[in-house]
Amino acid sequence: MALAFDEFGRPFIILKEQEQKSRLRGLDAQKANISAGKAVARILRTSLGPKGMDKMLQSPDGDQMMEQRSWSRWMLTTRLQKLMVELSRSQDYEIGDGTTGVVVMAGALLEQAERLLERGIHPIRIAEGYEMASRIAVENLERIANKFEFGEANLEPLIQTCMTTLSSKIVNRCKRSLAEIAVKAVLAVADLERKDVNLDLIKVEGKVGGKLEDTELIYGIVIDKDMSHPQMPKQIEDAKIAILTCPFEPPKPKTKHKVDIDTVEKFQTLRMQEQKYFDDMVQQCKDVGATLVICQWGFDDEANHLLMHRNLPAVRWVGGGRIVPRFQELTPEKLGKAGLVREKSFGTTKDRMLYIEHCANSRAVTIFIRGGNKMIIEETKRSLHDALCVARNLIRNNSIVYGGGSAEISCSIAVEAAADRYPGVEQYAIRAFADALEAIPMALAENSGLQPIETLSAVKSQQIKDNNPHFGIDCNDIGTNDMREQNVFETLIGKQQQLLLATQVVKMILKLMMLFLHLSTDIFTLKFMLRIKMLNC
């Protein structure tokens, strides 16, 4: 970029590679933006539902990831595709589930908007019609929503809703056990009176090996450490834990020093003095009643030997917790309490981990995942995150709508019926919104191997005939379209958030009237797409 002046002294800027850039205006810019959004939605459309296909993404540095929750963690920098990624990420941050559905919904709205633009309707009128239709759809969702009561004695509604979330993931063969684990973990940290859940108290850990069925819920924490001495006890009940930051070693001068030992007697004196230091340290821990020592620093073999002979188990190189910086400050009040501390080994390897369970002053829990490889464990973590968020949302607001596309079909019928009340051009956009809502059940039918148009028409006519909003797509071929009988639930706030977010992003795209394109952008897009390998799993 350079600054120059014309013959009248007026400054202007010369941009480098000006000839390689082009500018799109008006309808051409809007169509380019819509095409970019539709491209992302078209790829994710096949991931929707319990029979959806997963994607294997390969990043430029060669890392691979099984991905089914849209591209909420992937960066696309071409045109308006980044907006779609941000849309998915917003749904993930706010609700934790429905990231694929919100992108598919936005893609369907863009596709309908493109047809209206070609008919000469102004984009602002389309955006206003979409806003009206979204309000109608949200009100209809509140009308068809049901409330259910749950408690510690009746967890089945929560479990069924989490099972619906997990049914579209790779881990769906274990969805019952994983849903129970997720619900129990959320209830363990939930404050039901305030309807508040702190998900930071739920730690999700994983270790390669074993089966997915070996995943367990631990009412405590898991530390990737083992006892410092192999002969120390592997299980301690009613443990009193001292967490230290001071090392088990004699004090060292902070200045440079040199020790000369020229006789055996001096060496023996030094050795006895070191042993006395170690004895005092161990005795101070024993005096306050500690039965387990967790040290942030390491300690040498002599201290380890003394700890073992004094029947004081110890773990080294552990951080965190309420720490004690000096042995002189150890008091019984500063000891942590745990109902059970046990060391567990895995398979034929030497891998061991420490389970600290039933802590007295903490509600923290840990979900410990087992799997055949790292990719399965990471995907299970993401799937459990969705289930945890759904259970949290139900505790905050126990309203549900039925899944299988039944809510979208019901909203489509309501929006289409309300379009006649609007005499202006907006009614075309409202009808287009109703058609876009049918993209979700149509994608579910298509991914399940059914005839999409025929299946959707049959379910829609059944809803109108029986005035029952619970009829949806029978993706699992159970034999009934009633989602209430199939126990397929979704949270009301999650479904409402999908519609509102998709509408907001589409309105933003429709209002963009100018687009700058770099000719190398398309080459970058092609190279990126070639790195994406879509595998049917």
Side-chain angles (χ1 to χ4, degrees):
M1 186 172 65
L3 182 66
F5 298 89
D6 61 8
E7 63 271 18
F8 300 104
R10 293 176 298 192
F12 63 92
I13 296 175
I14 300 175
L15 297 176
K16 294 182 179 179
E17 300 179 353
Q18 183 75 20
E19 70 281 357
Q20 297 184 9
K21 297 183 179 181
S22 61
R23 179 181 298 180
L24 296 180
R25 298 175 182 269
L27 186 60
D28 292 334
Q30 289 161 351
K31 285 186 176 181
N33 295 335
I34 289 173
S35 298
K38 284 166 57 180
V40 178
R42 195 178 302 116
I43 294 174
L44 293 179
R45 181 184 174 92
T46 56
S47 296
L48 192 66
K51 300 295 180 66
M53 299 299 180
D54 299 308
K55 308 293 185 293
M56 179 174 286
L57 303 184
Q58 180 174 329
S59 62
D61 57 359
D63 292 338
Q64 292 183 351
M65 178 192 300
M66 293 297 297
E67 186 59 67
Q68 212 272 339
R69 294 174 55 219
S70 86
W71 288 359
S72 59
R73 286 165 302 279
W74 288 81
M75 293 299 295
L76 297 178
T77 57
T78 57
R79 301 183 183 178
L80 268 290
Q81 292 174 345
K82 190 174 181 180
L83 273 180
M84 304 297 281
V85 176
E86 292 296 332
L87 168 66
S88 179
R89 189 176 289 121
S90 298
Q91 178 77 13
D92 193 24
Y93 288 165
E94 185 69 22
I95 303 298
D97 188 30
T99 52
T100 303
V102 70
V103 176
V104 174
M105 183 65 197
L109 290 173
L110 289 173
E111 186 175 352
Q112 295 294 330
E114 186 176 21
R115 297 176 183 175
L116 296 177
L117 289 172
E118 291 175 350
R119 296 173 64 178
I121 300 178
H122 197 276
I124 298 299
R125 308 300 293 273
I126 299 175
E128 291 174 354
Y130 277 0
E131 183 67 27
M132 297 175 186
S134 67
R135 288 198 295 265
I136 297 170
V138 169
E139 291 172 1
N140 182 72
L141 286 174
E142 293 179 353
R143 182 179 61 83
I144 66 174
N146 292 337
K147 291 184 178 292
F148 64 91
E149 300 298 330
F150 61 88
E152 296 183 359
N154 182 24
L155 302 179
E156 193 61 26
L158 285 173
I159 293 174
Q160 291 291 341
T161 311
C162 291
M163 286 174 62
T164 303
T165 301
L166 295 172
S167 62
S168 61
K169 309 293 190 279
I170 293 178
V171 298
N172 58 0
R173 64 185 178 88
C174 302
K175 61 182 180 180
R176 176 76 193 188
S177 59
L178 292 179
E180 291 177 354
I181 288 174
V183 170
K184 291 177 181 177
V186 169
L187 289 179
V189 302
D191 187 349
L192 296 180
E193 293 182 359
R194 297 172 51 206
K195 293 187 176 181
D196 183 42
V197 179
N198 185 5
L199 290 183
D200 293 335
L201 295 176
I202 302 177
K203 187 179 180 183
V204 182
E205 294 288 342
K207 194 172 187 64
V208 175
K211 307 186 297 294
L212 196 58
E213 290 82 355
D214 297 334
T215 301
E216 58 181 332
L217 174 65
I218 300 158
Y219 290 93
I221 61 174
V222 176
I223 304 175
D224 194 9
K225 299 291 179 180
D226 57 355
M227 295 295 181
S228 61
H229 197 286
Q231 295 182 6
M232 287 180 177
K234 307 299 181 186
Q235 182 167 318
I236 306 169
E237 296 182 357
D238 297 326
K240 295 181 180 179
I241 306 171
I243 304 176
L244 307 173
T245 56
C246 44
F248 267 97
E249 60 184 24
K252 296 178 181 179
K254 295 183 179 181
T255 59
K256 291 184 179 180
H257 62 282
K258 181 180 179 182
V259 179
D260 293 327
I261 300 175
D262 51 7
T263 63
V264 176
E265 289 77 11
K266 290 182 180 180
F267 179 78
Q268 291 291 345
T269 303
L270 179 63
R271 180 177 175 277
M272 294 299 295
Q273 185 63 34
E274 284 188 352
Q275 187 171 354
K276 184 179 183 300
Y277 276 123
F278 285 131
D279 284 334
D280 292 342
M281 293 175 185
V282 175
Q283 191 59 42
Q284 285 175 331
C285 294
K286 297 281 286 186
D287 290 342
V288 297
T291 58
L292 175 65
V293 174
I294 295 179
C295 187
Q296 189 175 6
W297 301 98
F299 39 82
D300 58 16
D301 293 337
E302 185 171 358
N304 199 18
H305 178 75
L306 287 173
L307 287 167
M308 192 270 294
H309 277 281
R310 294 290 188 91
N311 294 321
L312 185 58
V315 184
R316 47 189 164 188
W317 301 116
V318 179
R322 181 180 179 180
I323 55 179
V324 179
R326 286 179 290 273
F327 285 95
Q328 292 78 9
E329 297 182 10
L330 271 174
T331 60
E333 292 77 18
K334 293 183 180 180
L335 298 180
K337 296 178 177 60
L340 179 64
V341 177
R342 57 191 174 98
E343 183 185 279
K344 186 175 181 180
S345 59
F346 301 94
T348 58
T349 64
K350 296 182 180 180
D351 292 338
R352 296 179 178 86
M353 299 186 79
L354 204 64
Y355 289 29
I356 302 177
E357 304 178 55
H358 307 296
C359 302
N361 300 320
S362 175
R363 295 184 298 165
V365 297
T366 303
I367 300 176
F368 189 59
I369 301 171
R370 304 303 308 279
N373 53 53
K374 185 178 179 181
M375 191 179 295
I376 291 294
I377 290 176
E378 293 300 322
E379 180 60 25
T380 306
K381 286 182 180 181
R382 289 189 288 271
S383 302
L384 277 173
H385 171 265
D386 288 359
L388 292 171
C389 290
V390 166
R392 177 200 62 186
N393 295 336
L394 283 174
I395 290 177
R396 291 179 175 176
N397 184 356
N398 61 345
S399 297
I400 61 167
V401 293
Y402 291 93
S406 60
E408 286 84 357
I409 296 174
S410 176
C411 289
S412 175
I413 296 171
V415 171
E416 191 171 1
D420 296 331
R421 300 200 301 265
Y422 297 90
V425 181
E426 288 82 2
Q427 70 168 283
Y428 290 97
I430 295 174
R431 294 185 191 278
F433 192 96
D435 294 337
L437 283 168
E438 296 178 356
I440 299 291
M442 191 171 292
L444 290 174
E446 187 176 347
N447 295 341
S448 301
L450 305 173
Q451 294 293 333
I453 298 178
E454 181 181 345
T455 305
L456 175 62
S457 301
V459 173
K460 188 174 181 180
S461 62
Q462 195 173 7
Q463 275 204 20
I464 297 174
K465 179 181 177 181
D466 297 345
N467 194 22
N468 186 351
H470 304 151
F471 289 116
I473 307 298
D474 184 15
C475 298
N476 294 320
D477 198 20
I478 294 178
T480 176
N481 289 327
D482 194 339
M483 296 296 107
R484 183 166 51 183
E485 295 182 10
Q486 291 194 23
N487 291 322
V488 180
F489 308 130
E490 294 185 65
T491 57
L492 172 63
I493 56 176
K495 188 62 67 177
Q496 288 178 334
Q497 192 77 7
Q498 274 190 2
L499 297 179
L500 294 175
L501 285 178
T503 305
Q504 290 173 8
V505 169
V506 171
K507 286 174 57 181
M508 184 186 304
I509 293 175
L510 287 174
K511 292 183 179 181
L512 293 176
M513 293 293 293
M514 188 177 296
L515 179 66
F516 289 92
L517 286 180
H518 199 284
L519 296 185
S520 61
T521 299
D522 294 332
I523 299 176
F524 174 79
T525 306
L526 179 61
K527 288 182 179 179
F528 188 86
M529 288 299 183
L530 288 176
R531 291 182 179 274
I532 301 174
K533 298 175 175 60
M534 302 172 60
L535 301 179
N536 295 344
C537 299

